[in-house]
Amino acid sequence: MPKFYLNVAVDTPLNRLFDYLPLSDNHRSDYALGQRVTVPFGRTLKSGIILSISSNTELNAKQLKPIAELLDSSPLLCAKDIALYKWAASYYHHPIGEVFAQSLPKKIRSGKLLSVELTTLYSLSKNSLSLKESDIKRSPRQATLWRHLKEMSQPVESDSFALFDWDWRSPLKSMVKKGWVNVSQEHIQPVTNIDTPDFTPNPAQQAAIDSVMQSADTYNTFLLDGVTGSGKTEVYLQLIQQVLSSGKQVLVLLPEITLTPQLAGRFKKRLASHLVISHSGLNDTQRAQAWLQFKQGSAQILLGTRSAVFTPMQKPGLIILDEEHDASFKQQEGFRYSARDIAITRARNDNIPIVLGTATPSLESLYNAQHERFKHLTLPERTAGASHPDIHLIDCKNQQLDNHLSKPLLTSIAKTLARNEQVILFVNRRGFAPVLMCHSCGWVGQCRRCDSRLVIHKKSNLLKCHHCGVEHTVPTTCPDCQQAELFPLGLGTERIEETINSHFPNIPVTRIDRDSTRRKDAMQEVIDQVQKGGAQILIGTQMLAKGHHFPNVTLVGMLDIDAGLFSCDFRASERMCQLITQVAGRAGREEKTGRVLIQTHHPDHPLLTTLIQKGYASFAKQALIERQQAQLPPYHYQALLRVNAMHEKAVLEFLDDTQQLISQIQLGDVSILGPVPAPMLKRAGRFRYQLLLQAPQRKPLHQFLSTLLPAIGQLKSARKIRWSIDIDPIDLY
Ligand code: ADP
Ligand code: ZN
Ligand code: ZN
């Protein structure tokens, strides 16, 4: 019998480690925490990570199986990385094995043995530098390559020769043979020419840079609160430059894939360093490579979306999280974590600064700034002479609308186009219209599997459910009364596109939503097209609100914001004000002043008037007071237990049992709200209920959950349902 047991995190929903025996010919010294293994699990093999090694087991040692394979001779993850994963699993009350599985790149977790791919670089050797043109002129192709390499003055990759439309391989080979060209294998991309800005940071930027750099070697969270176009990115660049020059690495987190190429381009132009990118649009190999290079320290900057927050750093120096208010930092299924909150924990563990940048801080972050947990840095003015946009409300009450567009808005669009400037129209829904209705009997296209309406997509002639994905062809007659009097109700991006096309037939119109940008590179093409300039109209959903830089847009119209004024979700007003401010920030970013027109039927709504007359900061201040009075986050802490099943009865049975359990646990300060049906009771054929747990402090809530959740897992009625726990939920759906 061995004298030790391996305690392995395996990708399963069971929240514990699994004990395995070592391989028979191995010694204790062959094993270390953080190594990957494959293990027999049920009838399959699964990959896992050794999280501890113990000298005894609670199980019958004779029944334990040995691992199938030891994948790493030295640990893939170090103690610090493991500690972060363990913290995340315990904070989010999520099975540790799944936490690893869902946050490591697939190729890394599936146990492939990987090494960093090397790049082949070519450069002129010393002796060929002293050659003269005339020495090589007998071989014109070699001469061309020689001139090219000489001009580049730094090692180049082979794709640098792609500009030659002849076979450059054989002349290059001859030059290598002659010792004229050196070939080297490197981890690192060659550094291209670096731009230096033709301006110096303004006083607000400089103050922000100085504050962060003063605590470069200690943990601190900085909230960089700067209006759109105030030069936040410039602050990031300067900070990164300084951190890199001290030999450390920088992790940069963004909410949205489509923003990465734009920002990566800007970074590469300014920073002489090896930068890697990680997001879900890349293939498995690319993601694994980025992960490895950052972990090993050959890449100095990692630019990534949510899951990149887990990438190990060789020499941690700084974390930057841009658009910190953005909901996409929260994973909404499976392992429900907040990349922002994990990033802050990481910075604290690594004792480095973290900068949270935004023009519209979340109420959570403002609260933390008010309580001096975060340091509040502000950039109040737009740079380079750009002024704040004018925001106006268009009262749509009793106005004749032309397919949802008001006269004043149409007139403004026409004037903007006449000046050869660009327009953004913001619509909150993709598709043509959210409802198809029968004029003679009132029939409405409903999803059979969800409590929701089917959205009309005219381009593809489909009725689609945006919740479960069901699609039908659009009927020509009413399924109930057979009359052919079906009409669309409400607006979507496609419908506005159609109306705009009829008003401005000669103007290029681009639609930007999840349908139109599904194709890879589609978003980049849109951005390129817009940056070419000229009169154009962009119609898009909130995808448009995120960080893109469109210098020629001087008019933004918002068409359907009223729903946000009357939502039952207590965060709806915060989201709406962030959205309006962000969308408005797309207008007039350079020397031209921007104008924002908001169509509403409630121009006197206090939320709108506060936001427009006094700005986001005033709205936020007021909203925080209301949250405190209503005992809501960030003043109170929440966790949401979600339950669903095909049969409503199974859900109710489980909830009865859960309440029984709850009645046996000391509640302390924890209050229980519900159970109640989810705002959308039925979705994808499953009935959904929820139970909200809330407490004025974090600790009692988590203690309560630590007792409740394992007991829930043991319930017999739990086998017929699916449940999940969402810590600090940001969406009560
Ligand atoms: P944000 O990230 O806050 O939206 P950016 O950093 O993108 O703002 O800055 C907006 C524009 O202003 C960019 O074109 C940037 O190059 C320029 N800029 C930034 N800082 C300054 C400065 N101090 N002086 C002049 N121009 C600046
Ligand atoms: Zn009908
Ligand atoms: Zn559906």
Side-chain angles (χ1 to χ4, degrees), residues 249-323:
Q249 291 171 290
V250 183
L251 172 64
V252 182
L253 297 167
L254 300 174
E256 188 43 62
I257 303 181
T258 59
L259 290 172
T260 45
Q262 234 184 349
L263 198 64
R266 233 174 127 181
F267 278 21
K268 280 183 184 164
K269 267 196 213 147
R270 286 280 299 277
L271 302 164
S273 62
H274 180 34
L275 175 151
V276 286
I277 292 176
S278 173
H279 58 66
S280 58
L282 301 177
N283 66 34
D284 294 340
T285 307
Q286 291 169 316
R287 294 186 87 170
Q289 280 297 325
W291 191 93
L292 266 185
Q293 295 187 23
F294 200 55
K295 174 187 142 59
Q296 297 177 350
S298 56
Q300 288 96 44
I301 306 174
L302 173 65
L303 203 65
T305 47
R306 193 172 58 220
S307 66
V309 72
F310 289 103
T311 317
M313 267 196 258
Q314 176 74 236
K315 287 189 186 155
L318 173 68
I319 302 177
I320 290 171
L321 190 135
D322 195 23
E323 312 287 354

Side-chain angles (χ1 to χ4, degrees), residues 462-509:
L462 290 171
L463 289 180
K464 292 189 193 176
C465 175
H466 285 190
H467 300 283
C468 70
V470 150
E471 298 178 354
H472 312 278
T473 8
V474 179
T476 44
T477 57
C478 172
D480 272 2
C481 73
Q482 275 74 46
Q483 301 293 314
E485 290 190 81
L486 298 174
F487 69 99
L489 206 63
L491 75 162
T493 46
E494 283 185 7
R495 187 171 204 174
I496 298 303
E497 184 182 19
E498 195 178 277
T499 315
I500 285 291
N501 275 328
S502 71
H503 278 276
F504 306 101
N506 302 318
I507 297 291
V509 175

Side-chain angles (χ1 to χ4, degrees), residues 87-102:
W87 173 85
S90 107
Y91 182 79
Y92 292 105
H93 298 268
H94 199 83
I96 181 86
E98 284 192 356
V99 168
F100 277 98
Q102 295 190 22

